[in-house]
Amino acid sequence: METPVYTQIENLKITVFQAYLFWENVEKNLQNLALRLSMGVREKTDVIVLPEMFNSGFSMNAEGLAEEMGGFTMQWMQKIAYQYNCIVTGSLIIKENGNFYNRLVWMDQDGTCKYYDKRHLFGLGDEDKNFTQGNDKLIVELKGWKIRLAVCYDLRFPVWLRNVNEEYDMLLLVASWPDKRSAHWKALIPARAIENQSYVVAVNRVGHDGNQIYHSGHSMCIDPYGNTVYYKPEDEDLYTFSINYEELVKIRRQFPFLRDADQFNIQ
């Protein structure tokens, strides 16, 4: 495999919001998120990352909470993206063609968006009985960075997230990951970063949900070598940090492990 030619690419500034979510209360969640962003975003950022089902909590009440594409929550996302002159991303329940999706929306300030439907539905929580599985991966581009989007349970499936031929530079994952399996979360995120030689940014929620399941956050950013760029357990947190493209290139050139990876396709 030929060595890729890299051009000068700027560092990427990321704002993660490890938020407390109000159970199945869309209006209250959006009001609270907007308020906290207005108080906490003090510098220019490139992307604001919200947790999985940020407007409702991780609920199986798909029929009651679903919105159409371009609905109330997506209009809110566009408003926030325009206000902060950045991308806003997070997942919500979308109804389309009679199906319900746990859809991760990548919203630009002009109202254009891309989306990824969660591939791996959490059978232990009956997500597979209430939602339709997505089949397509999504890699978006921002300021020259290639970013792979994923949702929560996807983290457990390394084949799905495999970085084939350096197709992405950062894996961005939003989640509603419970505290009782936080040891798995803290092990799998660095593993995905190291094996794929990419940054991993993983944003979880905090607090109890309507089923009294506790979420302890542990949102983090891990660099391609396995070092911690950002980490926050337990408390709600709104934090902005930068990731360095030159460091990514340096690690891949020093340790070109991806060149030796197995080649395969998912059917």
Side-chain angles (χ1 to χ4, degrees):
M1 187 175 74
E2 293 183 7
T3 302
V5 176
Y6 294 97
T7 56
Q8 186 66 34
I9 292 178
E10 296 178 47
N11 292 347
L12 198 64
K13 191 167 285 189
I14 301 166
T15 298
V16 297
F17 194 172
Q18 178 170 280
Y20 177 86
L21 303 178
F22 298 93
W23 186 245
E24 297 186 346
N25 192 330
V26 173
E27 187 172 351
K28 190 172 183 178
N29 278 314
L30 299 186
Q31 288 176 350
N32 182 62
L33 291 167
L35 177 62
R36 291 298 310 276
L37 287 167
S38 70
M39 296 168 59
V41 178
R42 300 300 186 193
E43 57 185 303
K44 178 66 176 75
T45 188
D46 296 308
V47 57
I48 295 172
V49 188
L50 306 173
E52 180 181 24
M53 294 193 190
F54 66 88
N55 67 340
S56 64
F58 185 66
S59 172
M60 295 302 99
N61 181 17
E63 182 73 49
L65 292 167
E67 300 182 21
E68 302 285 339
M69 287 294 284
F72 181 66
T73 297
M74 288 186 64
Q75 291 175 36
W76 177 90
M77 293 178 77
Q78 181 187 355
K79 180 180 177 183
I80 296 297
Y82 181 81
Q83 180 178 348
Y84 295 99
N85 188 25
C86 70
I87 297 292
V88 175
T89 188
S91 90
L92 65 152
I93 302 172
I94 292 291
K95 183 177 182 179
E96 191 172 73
N97 300 322
N99 296 318
F100 298 102
Y101 298 94
N102 185 346
R103 180 164 290 178
L104 178 54
V105 174
W106 180 265
M107 176 66 71
D108 207 335
Q109 58 184 309
D110 63 1
T112 60
C113 72
K114 297 179 180 179
Y115 63 84
Y116 163 75
D117 292 327
K118 188 176 181 181
R119 163 82 171 185
H120 297 94
L121 302 178
F122 187 54
L124 194 61
D126 289 337
E127 189 180 15
D128 58 331
K129 295 181 176 64
N130 293 281
F131 292 84
T132 297
Q133 178 189 54
N135 291 311
D136 299 320
K137 66 183 180 181
L138 177 64
I139 297 173
V140 296
E141 188 166 316
L142 182 61
K143 293 177 67 175
W145 289 77
K146 294 170 292 181
I147 303 169
R148 174 77 184 269
L149 302 184
V151 180
C152 201
Y153 195 42
D154 288 330
L155 181 63
R156 290 188 178 271
F157 301 94
V159 173
W160 176 243
L161 299 177
R162 189 66 177 166
N163 192 6
V164 180
N165 296 327
E166 299 183 10
E167 64 185 354
Y168 67 83
D169 307 312
M170 183 180 88
L171 172 63
L172 177 61
L173 181 122
V174 303
S176 185
W177 196 284
D179 175 68
K180 56 189 173 184
R181 289 186 292 279
S182 62
H184 300 184
W185 169 266
K186 289 182 283 186
L188 292 172
I189 293 168
R192 297 295 88 86
I194 293 166
E195 71 194 8
N196 291 303
Q197 292 196 303
S198 77
Y199 286 92
V200 176
V201 175
V203 179
N204 197 17
R205 62 158 294 179
V206 290
H208 290 88
D209 66 15
N211 298 313
Q212 292 306 302
I213 296 172
Y214 179 63
H215 303 79
S216 55
H218 300 280
S219 297
M220 67 182 83
C221 173
I222 305 296
D223 79 8
Y225 199 66
N227 300 310
T228 301
V229 176
Y230 163 78
Y231 173 68
K232 183 67 175 181
E234 301 299 339
D235 300 319
E236 188 173 68
D237 194 40
L238 179 62
Y239 189 77
T240 300
F241 57 86
S242 293
I243 57 175
N244 187 294
Y245 196 83
E246 287 187 10
E247 186 65 22
L248 169 73
V249 172
K250 178 182 174 183
I251 291 169
R252 286 178 174 175
R253 283 178 173 167
Q254 262 188 311
F255 308 104
F257 302 139
L258 290 180
R259 297 182 193 175
D260 302 324
D262 300 304
Q263 299 297 312
F264 56 83
N265 294 306
I266 297 177
Q267 302 299 323

